[in-house]
């Protein structure tokens, strides 16, 4: 399957009793696909995998895989050991650059080479230096792209800089570059990104799908207008740690049973949720 277009990194809804609400998750996955998303991400950081038990992770993955199979949609999966990835519904594993240790670019390249060699599915690297502490230049990302089995990157560099322009001006062949900074997705698409993995698109799926389609079709006027409207929405949705405001908005709309998150996250404040609802 092609890894391009709009991917939704699914939140994990919690019931009033505290457990994962799998029915709400399934309904949400179908809704975003109905509204124009091209694919799903299960157990990405937006899904709070660090606070889920192993049984809960398996249940979440089962739901996402079932929806992906029924809808013939690509599915990326994070926070999952290699042995759990060997199922036909999974398109690729989403693997973050090692955090905290800052292994250097050579170490990152070696890390992804080992991951790709051990993985039963292709790998999409997740480059997010403001969380990992490890910055990657365009040259390092090209080295990652050259690894057999690495098929793309979720690119969340914190904005647009010289390396961003370098990478997108001459992207590696067969290597999907998906914007991962919601606030900057429009300029990344304008520079040539192949799509995005966007938590904000839980809230305005059709609009983000139209934004991606407009840039890819060369309709700059439509794309600019959408980008100018959606960037403030993304800013509002990220006013508190992701996915707290997104969950607050989805709960306010009746799409999930609670806005609950698990520690170390705290639920978003009422002011932040109201501000995001006004932008939606």
């Amino acid at each position: 399957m092609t890894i391009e277009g709009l991917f939704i990194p699914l939140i994990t809804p919690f019931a009033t009793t505290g457990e994962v609400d799998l029915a709400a998750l399934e309904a949400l996955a179908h809704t975003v696909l109905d509204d124009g998303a091209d694919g799903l991400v299960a157990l990405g950081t937006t899904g709070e995998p660090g606070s889920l038990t192993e049984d809960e992770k398996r249940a979440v993955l089962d739901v996402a895989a079932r929806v992906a199979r029924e809808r013939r949609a690509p599915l990326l999966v994070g926070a999952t050991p290699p042995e759990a990835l060997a199922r036909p519904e999974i398109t690729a594993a989403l693997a973050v650059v090692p955090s905290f240790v800052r292994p250097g670019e050579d170490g990152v390249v070696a890390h992804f080479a080992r991951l790709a060699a051990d993985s039963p599915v292709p790998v999409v690297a997740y480059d997010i230096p403001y969380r990992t502490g490890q910055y990657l230049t365009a040259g390092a990302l090209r080295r990652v792209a050259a690894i057999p089995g690495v098929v793309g990157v979720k690119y969340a560099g914190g904005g647009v800089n010289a390396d961003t322009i370098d990478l997108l001006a001459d992207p590696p062949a067969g290597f999907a570059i998906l914007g991962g900074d919601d606030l900057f997705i429009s300029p990344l698409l304008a520079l040539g990104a192949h799509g995005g993995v966007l938590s904000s698109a839980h809230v305005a799926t059709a609009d983000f799908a139209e934004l991606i389609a407009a840039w890819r079709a060369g309709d700059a006027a439509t794309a600019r207008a959408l980008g100018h409207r959606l960037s403030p929405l993304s800013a509002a949705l990220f006013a508190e740690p992701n996915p707290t405001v997104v969950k607050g908005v989805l709960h306010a709309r009746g799409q999930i049973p609670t806005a609950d998150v698990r520690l170390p996250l705290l639920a978003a404040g009422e002011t932040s949720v109201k501000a995001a609802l006004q932008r939606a």
Side-chain angles (χ1 to χ4, degrees):
M1 286 187 180
T2 303
I3 302 176
E4 59 184 26
L6 176 60
F7 283 76
I8 309 296
L10 293 167
I11 58 111
T12 300
F14 297 117
T16 55
T17 50
E19 71 268 18
V20 176
D21 191 322
L22 296 173
L25 175 64
E26 185 166 2
L28 182 63
H30 279 293
T31 295
V32 297
L33 291 171
D34 287 342
D35 289 345
D38 297 288
L40 304 171
V41 180
L43 300 174
T45 51
T46 299
E48 303 173 70
S51 69
L52 303 180
T53 67
E54 292 305 311
D55 285 344
E56 288 173 331
K57 288 184 203 177
R58 281 191 290 271
V60 165
L61 182 54
D62 285 343
V63 168
R66 181 168 63 250
V67 174
R69 180 176 64 252
E70 291 172 358
R71 302 297 296 269
R72 297 183 180 180
L75 175 64
L76 310 183
V77 178
T80 303
E83 59 270 18
L85 294 170
R87 49 193 305 170
E89 302 90 350
I90 297 175
T91 306
L94 182 63
V96 72
V97 169
S99 63
F100 188 75
V101 294
R102 295 193 293 182
E105 292 187 338
D106 289 346
V108 170
V109 173
H111 170 75
F112 278 107
R114 174 63 62 85
L115 279 182
D118 293 343
S119 176
V121 296
V123 172
V124 173
Y126 184 7
D127 180 27
I128 183 166
Y130 54 86
R131 289 185 184 267
T132 66
Q134 176 64 65
Y135 183 82
L136 297 181
T137 61
L141 286 169
R142 286 197 174 88
R143 291 171 63 197
V144 171
I147 297 168
V150 178
V151 295
V153 62
K154 179 183 176 183
Y155 184 76
V160 175
N161 60 26
D163 280 305
T164 312
I165 294 168
D166 184 345
L167 179 67
L168 287 168
D170 184 22
F175 185 70
I177 301 171
L178 304 175
D181 274 318
D182 296 36
L183 189 63
F184 301 105
I185 187 58
S186 190
L188 289 172
L189 291 165
L191 288 167
H194 301 97
V197 180
L198 306 172
S199 178
S200 301
H202 280 91
V203 171
T205 310
D207 291 337
F208 278 100
E210 185 181 1
L211 173 71
I212 292 171
W215 276 123
R216 298 189 71 190
D219 184 356
T222 298
R224 285 196 193 99
L226 282 165
H228 290 158
R229 180 162 59 83
L230 292 173
S231 287
L233 170 61
S234 292
L237 290 168
F238 279 80
E240 297 190 39
N242 186 52
T244 62
V245 183
V246 170
K247 280 190 160 185
V249 171
L250 293 176
H251 175 56
R253 289 178 164 182
Q255 291 182 261
I256 57 175
T258 74
D260 293 352
V261 291
R262 289 181 179 171
L263 290 172
L265 295 174
L266 298 174
E270 183 179 351
T271 300
S272 295
V273 174
K274 284 183 176 179
L277 282 166
Q278 290 171 353
R279 292 284 188 182

